[in-house]
Amino acid sequence: MCSLVDNVAMPGVRDRYVALFRDKWPTERLQYFSDAVFAIAMTLLVLDIEIPDVQESRLGDALRNALPQVFAFVLSFAVIAATWVAHHRRFEIVRVADRRLVQLNFALLLVVTFLPFPTAVLSEYGSETPAVVLYAGTVGALGLIQLVTWSHARTAGLLKTEIDEATYRYGRRAHVVDPAVFLTSIVVALVGFPLAAMLTWLAIPPASWLVRRTADRGGSIG
Amino acid sequence: MCSLVDNVAMPGVRDRYVALFRDKWPTERLQYFSDAVFAIAMTLLVLDIEIPDVQESRLGDALRNALPQVFAFVLSFAVIAATWVAHHRRFEIVRVADRRLVQLNFALLLVVTFLPFPTAVLSEYGSETPAVVLYAGTVGALGLIQLVTWSHARTAGLLKTEIDEATYRYGRRAHVVDPAVFLTSIVVALVGFPLAAMLTWLAIPPASWLVRRTADRGGSIG
Amino acid sequence: MCSLVDNVAMPGVRDRYVALFRDKWPTERLQYFSDAVFAIAMTLLVLDIEIPDVQESRLGDALRNALPQVFAFVLSFAVIAATWVAHHRRFEIVRVADRRLVQLNFALLLVVTFLPFPTAVLSEYGSETPAVVLYAGTVGALGLIQLVTWSHARTAGLLKTEIDEATYRYGRRAHVVDPAVFLTSIVVALVGFPLAAMLTWLAIPPASWLVRRTADRGGSIG
Amino acid sequence: MCSLVDNVAMPGVRDRYVALFRDKWPTERLQYFSDAVFAIAMTLLVLDIEIPDVQESRLGDALRNALPQVFAFVLSFAVIAATWVAHHRRFEIVRVADRRLVQLNFALLLVVTFLPFPTAVLSEYGSETPAVVLYAGTVGALGLIQLVTWSHARTAGLLKTEIDEATYRYGRRAHVVDPAVFLTSIVVALVGFPLAAMLTWLAIPPASWLVRRTADRGGSIG
């Protein structure tokens, strides 16, 4: 008897508890928190550039030898900066966040905070296959998570503006380029051409431009 | 004579001094400050993953050997993320902070900033008893401090919404699971089963679900 | 001729240039920036606790040996937390900042960001005289800069609330305790008693309480 | 046929997509993000001061030997603080940001996050030519990027207040001093006088004062 009554009455407790918290989250604190993580990950990258430990007369050579490390620093800085810009843009049209969006955002931040590690490995081991695969996999994951987040935000009705189907697919297509190139480069590295794999990364700017142009031209791809 | 007058008159000085500052604190700056600490602690975790220092041909093996360190990184990231979500939710219903709440919040932040150390020890020494005890103790402390903070906020009338007794006990019970599991795992580790202790941590998601379900069902536990 | 005309006419250029910028600064961005520095310095402290590098069977002992480092971590965390609370309180009654206040604030932040270094030295060398002097000097400087900042804010009319002389002297007196104790401890350390110097730091809570009580009682000190 | 129709109709998709995002960015999130990077870079500088690893009796000497590292820490702290103040002032008169301003801002942040590396090299190798050139080049780049940013903001009409030509040139002239001195010091270092190059940095305060005074006096330079 008692448990029957409870079954009827007690869900009220849970409802009252849940009602204490807004079901959906305003995105402001989420954005500022994400910004802080982006900013810190970006700034920690410099710690991977090793201070040379050589005789004073050989400092010039040692600094020249540090150039690949500086290159890896600039590359990862650019990756995080581009991710921040995309994050900023996306959240401008997000009206509200739900629990799943918060989780996806944390998945993104996890990969962002992890990035200094593959960067350090890449700057230490240059074009070795495992270093290239680790780096490309990490950056590719960044792109995939963003793609899933964007899909979820639309499906769950979290966006500010109503987006029609064609516009949505246009936007999604533009976000496919980065993961596609990075995941392709993993294959290229695994079959034995890690240096070529790194060079494919340079294809991102022209490929992005091409996809945008094609999309402008018509629905042939969409 | 003079000191008698002072005894009457001078407390006014203190009153005027105290009146300069609001007695209770708006929580906004407290939240942003806490967010910054969460974000930084989260991002520093990656520094505990050691860059391999091996011959180039052995890099793949070295990266595989770093997997426990990556696991510890992800675990602590998840702990801080969950703490941030709980902090975010709680402070949404806090109307104002008093001195004690600020102190409790700093105790929480102290443990959060300390977390990279037990994480590094865990990732270095795996399932050694002292490493497991240190880690479980730290995460258990996080849960206990949150429990005390929640109690204090209610007792001192700092909450926005009036919460009735049943709802409050429902919410508190949900927050007991984490410390209970972690403190139990300390005992398990100390009697000689550190690996089993780590496995008990996996009991948190089902235990949380069970507690929630039981609470929904009725007052038999409450 | 031309230069005479310039002398009359051209100061207008400078005036127009200066007028572009508000002469006094709103304090919000200054507060958030300071908060970020406090949060980061606080979180970096943990990096000074060394991960033990011993045989697995000796991990327990190694962790016990790290206790002085944990103590130094907690001490400096408390120092930064107390400085943040004081900063928060002070800026609540600051109406606007001028160039000098911004400079004094940067001097404070310089010492805050420097604190991890003396902390690491203290945790490494324990009660050696130079370690104690360096630490006490750094924390004493924190107190002195806050005292000067408070004086300047009052003198330059930057405060929100009009503060009468007695109230101001009451507030100032409370802020004299910390630097006084730390600077005294430097002398104690230099004459050969570094351990005793560290113990004098424990006098801060009762001394603060005494000063407050005396001030409440009357003008005998003021 | 179809592609002709697409050529007419489909740009609408792109327009609708672009219209989802505001074309120009409000500067608030950009400022907070930049602040976080400034704050972190500033705080990381302390990690370059090495904890002495000597016998306890030699700690005093070891700390004295760390003085050049402390000097480099203070110098770079001052550089970042001055850049933050300039950034703060500039963005107070920026009405809105466009894509190029965001890119220029990231270029600035890239150099800011890089600064701890030249600082560490300078503090390690003192007045060696490559260390001085690297440091002066980095700080000179900071100045040049700010100059370009300021030019762009005016040209692209992003400023809040209409600035007349004379006022603009006055402002720009003041920002030329820093890069001019640092780039000059590179030449001085390269021809073999690295210590003298470092001393030229001391010319910045009087040179700034002189430029301001000359500008006040007349258009003879402008």
Side-chain angles (χ1 to χ4, degrees):
Chain A
M1 269 291 277
C2 177
S3 90
L4 186 77
V5 171
D6 282 335
N7 264 330
V8 175
M10 289 311 286
V13 172
R14 193 188 185 176
D15 289 349
R16 286 201 300 277
Y17 181 72
V18 168
L20 289 175
F21 306 102
R22 291 181 224 158
D23 208 20
K24 309 243 162 149
W25 305 36
T27 61
E28 203 193 29
R29 200 179 162 191
L30 200 62
Q31 286 187 63
Y32 280 119
F33 184 76
S34 305
D35 277 12
V37 172
F38 284 127
I40 302 155
M42 200 174 246
T43 317
L44 286 183
L45 292 169
V46 77
L47 300 181
D48 292 332
I49 310 179
E50 280 170 83
I51 315 303
D53 186 15
V54 296
Q55 280 197 300
E56 304 209 329
S57 60
R58 306 217 36 242
L59 178 60
D61 292 338
L63 288 179
R64 265 184 293 277
N65 292 339
L67 272 183
Q69 299 189 5
V70 174
F71 169 75
F73 160 72
V74 174
L75 180 66
S76 290
F77 186 96
V79 166
I80 298 181
T83 308
W84 182 82
V85 168
H87 193 269
H88 188 295
R89 299 225 117 185
R90 175 139 319 153
F91 270 86
E92 232 163 68
I93 61 165
V94 169
R95 189 174 42 81
V96 80
D98 63 0
R99 174 175 283 268
R100 174 61 55 92
L101 193 75
V102 172
Q103 287 167 346
L104 286 168
N105 194 58
F106 270 119
L108 185 74
L109 297 182
L110 176 70
V111 181
V112 167
T113 61
F114 182 66
L115 192 60
F117 177 65
T119 306
V121 173
L122 191 73
S123 73
E124 198 65 27
Y125 292 91
S127 55
E128 284 295 304
T129 295
V132 172
V133 169
L134 178 66
Y135 193 85
T138 305
V139 181
L142 272 185
L144 284 178
I145 293 169
Q146 287 177 278
L147 206 62
V148 174
T149 309
W150 174 253
S151 276
H152 169 69
R154 173 165 163 79
T155 314
L158 306 173
L159 302 181
K160 270 181 192 160
T161 318
E162 276 310 306
I163 305 182
D164 61 81
E165 188 61 23
T167 313
Y168 170 69
R169 269 151 74 200
Y170 175 79
R172 190 185 55 186
R173 208 185 302 133
H175 286 92
V176 170
V177 175
D178 291 26
V181 170
F182 274 102
L183 298 178
T184 304
S185 78
I186 292 180
V187 178
V188 176
L190 285 177
V191 297
F193 306 100
L195 197 64
M198 290 176 78
L199 292 175
T200 65
W201 300 346
L202 300 174
I204 288 181
S208 297
W209 178 82
L210 201 71
V211 163
R212 241 165 243 162
R213 214 183 133 77
T214 314
D216 289 352
R217 229 178 303 123
S220 48
I221 288 184
Chain B
M1 268 295 276
C2 178
S3 89
L4 186 78
V5 171
D6 282 336
N7 265 329
V8 175
M10 289 309 286
V13 172
R14 192 187 186 176
D15 290 349
R16 285 201 301 276
Y17 181 72
V18 167
L20 290 175
F21 307 103
R22 291 180 224 157
D23 208 19
K24 308 242 163 150
W25 305 36
T27 61
E28 203 193 30
R29 200 178 162 190
L30 200 60
Q31 286 188 62
Y32 280 119
F33 184 77
S34 305
D35 277 12
V37 171
F38 285 127
I40 302 156
M42 198 174 249
T43 316
L44 286 183
L45 292 170
V46 78
L47 300 181
D48 292 333
I49 310 178
E50 279 169 84
I51 315 304
D53 186 16
V54 295
Q55 279 196 300
E56 304 209 329
S57 60
R58 307 219 34 244
L59 178 59
D61 292 339
L63 289 179
R64 265 184 292 279
N65 291 339
L67 273 183
Q69 299 190 4
V70 173
F71 168 75
F73 160 73
V74 174
L75 180 66
S76 289
F77 186 96
V79 166
I80 298 181
T83 308
W84 182 83
V85 168
H87 193 269
H88 188 294
R89 299 225 119 185
R90 176 138 318 153
F91 270 86
E92 232 164 67
I93 60 164
V94 168
R95 190 174 40 82
V96 80
D98 63 359
R99 173 175 285 268
R100 174 60 56 92
L101 192 75
V102 172
Q103 288 168 345
L104 286 169
N105 194 58
F106 270 118
L108 185 74
L109 297 182
L110 176 71
V111 181
V112 167
T113 61
F114 182 65
L115 191 60
F117 177 67
T119 306
V121 172
L122 191 72
S123 73
E124 196 68 26
Y125 292 90
S127 57
E128 286 294 303
T129 296
V132 173
V133 169
L134 178 66
Y135 193 85
T138 305
V139 181
L142 272 185
L144 283 179
I145 293 169
Q146 288 177 280
L147 206 61
V148 174
T149 309
W150 175 253
S151 277
H152 169 68
R154 173 165 163 79
T155 314
L158 307 173
L159 302 180
K160 271 180 190 161
T161 318
E162 276 309 308
I163 305 182
D164 61 81
E165 189 60 23
T167 312
Y168 170 70
R169 270 151 72 199
Y170 175 79
R172 190 185 55 186
R173 210 185 301 135
H175 287 91
V176 169
V177 175
D178 292 24
V181 170
F182 275 101
L183 298 178
T184 304
S185 77
I186 291 180
V187 178
V188 175
L190 285 177
V191 298
F193 305 100
L195 197 65
M198 289 175 79
L199 291 175
T200 65
W201 301 345
L202 300 174
I204 288 181
S208 297
W209 179 82
L210 201 71
V211 163
R212 243 164 242 165
R213 214 182 132 76
T214 314
D216 289 352
R217 229 180 300 125
S220 48
I221 288 185
Chain C
M1 268 292 276
C2 178
S3 89
L4 186 78
V5 171
D6 283 335
N7 264 328
V8 176
M10 290 309 288
V13 173
R14 192 187 186 175
D15 288 350
R16 287 200 300 275
Y17 181 72
V18 167
L20 290 175
F21 307 103
R22 290 181 224 157
D23 207 20
K24 308 242 163 149
W25 304 36
T27 61
E28 204 193 28
R29 199 176 164 194
L30 200 61
Q31 285 187 64
Y32 281 119
F33 184 77
S34 305
D35 277 12
V37 171
F38 284 126
I40 302 156
M42 201 174 244
T43 317
L44 286 182
L45 292 169
V46 79
L47 300 181
D48 292 333
I49 309 178
E50 279 170 83
I51 316 304
D53 185 15
V54 296
Q55 281 198 299
E56 304 210 329
S57 61
R58 307 219 35 243
L59 178 58
D61 293 338
L63 289 178
R64 265 185 291 281
N65 291 340
L67 272 183
Q69 299 189 5
V70 174
F71 169 75
F73 161 72
V74 174
L75 180 66
S76 289
F77 186 96
V79 165
I80 298 181
T83 308
W84 181 82
V85 168
H87 193 269
H88 189 294
R89 300 225 116 184
R90 176 141 318 153
F91 270 85
E92 232 164 67
I93 60 164
V94 168
R95 190 174 40 80
V96 80
D98 63 359
R99 172 174 286 269
R100 174 60 56 93
L101 193 74
V102 172
Q103 288 168 346
L104 286 168
N105 195 58
F106 270 118
L108 185 73
L109 296 182
L110 177 70
V111 180
V112 167
T113 61
F114 183 66
L115 192 61
F117 177 66
T119 306
V121 172
L122 191 73
S123 74
E124 197 68 28
Y125 291 90
S127 57
E128 284 295 303
T129 296
V132 173
V133 169
L134 178 66
Y135 193 85
T138 305
V139 181
L142 271 185
L144 283 179
I145 293 168
Q146 287 177 280
L147 205 62
V148 173
T149 308
W150 175 252
S151 277
H152 169 68
R154 173 165 162 79
T155 314
L158 307 174
L159 302 181
K160 272 180 190 161
T161 318
E162 276 309 308
I163 305 182
D164 61 83
E165 188 60 23
T167 312
Y168 170 69
R169 269 151 73 198
Y170 174 79
R172 190 184 56 187
R173 210 186 299 136
H175 287 91
V176 169
V177 174
D178 291 24
V181 170
F182 275 101
L183 298 179
T184 305
S185 79
I186 291 179
V187 177
V188 175
L190 285 177
V191 298
F193 305 101
L195 197 65
M198 289 176 79
L199 292 174
T200 65
W201 301 344
L202 300 174
I204 288 181
S208 297
W209 178 82
L210 201 71
V211 163
R212 242 163 242 166
R213 213 185 133 76
T214 314
D216 289 351
R217 226 172 311 120
S220 48
I221 287 183
Chain D
M1 268 293 275
C2 178
S3 90
L4 186 77
V5 171
D6 281 335
N7 264 330
V8 175
M10 288 311 286
V13 173
R14 192 188 187 177
D15 289 350
R16 287 201 300 275
Y17 181 73
V18 167
L20 290 175
F21 306 103
R22 290 182 225 157
D23 206 20
K24 309 244 163 149
W25 304 36
T27 60
E28 203 193 28
R29 201 177 162 192
L30 200 62
Q31 285 187 62
Y32 280 118
F33 184 76
S34 305
D35 277 12
V37 172
F38 284 127
I40 303 156
M42 200 174 245
T43 317
L44 287 183
L45 292 169
V46 78
L47 300 181
D48 293 333
I49 310 179
E50 280 169 83
I51 315 303
D53 185 16
V54 296
Q55 280 198 300
E56 303 210 330
S57 61
R58 305 214 40 238
L59 177 59
D61 292 339
L63 289 178
R64 263 184 293 278
N65 291 340
L67 273 183
Q69 298 189 6
V70 174
F71 169 75
F73 160 72
V74 174
L75 179 66
S76 290
F77 186 96
V79 165
I80 298 181
T83 307
W84 181 82
V85 167
H87 192 269
H88 189 294
R89 299 224 117 186
R90 176 141 316 153
F91 270 85
E92 230 164 68
I93 60 165
V94 169
R95 189 174 41 82
V96 79
D98 62 0
R99 174 175 283 270
R100 174 61 55 93
L101 194 76
V102 173
Q103 288 169 346
L104 286 168
N105 195 57
F106 270 118
L108 185 74
L109 297 182
L110 176 70
V111 181
V112 167
T113 62
F114 182 66
L115 192 61
F117 177 66
T119 306
V121 173
L122 190 73
S123 74
E124 198 66 27
Y125 292 91
S127 56
E128 285 295 302
T129 296
V132 172
V133 169
L134 178 67
Y135 192 86
T138 306
V139 181
L142 271 185
L144 283 178
I145 292 168
Q146 288 177 280
L147 204 62
V148 173
T149 309
W150 175 252
S151 276
H152 169 69
R154 172 165 163 78
T155 313
L158 307 173
L159 302 181
K160 270 180 192 161
T161 318
E162 276 310 307
I163 305 183
D164 61 81
E165 187 61 25
T167 312
Y168 170 70
R169 269 150 74 199
Y170 175 79
R172 190 183 58 185
R173 209 185 299 135
H175 287 91
V176 170
V177 174
D178 291 25
V181 170
F182 275 101
L183 297 178
T184 304
S185 78
I186 291 180
V187 178
V188 175
L190 286 177
V191 298
F193 305 101
L195 197 64
M198 290 177 77
L199 292 175
T200 65
W201 301 345
L202 301 174
I204 287 180
S208 297
W209 178 82
L210 201 70
V211 163
R212 242 164 242 165
R213 212 183 134 76
T214 314
D216 289 352
R217 229 179 301 126
S220 47
I221 287 184

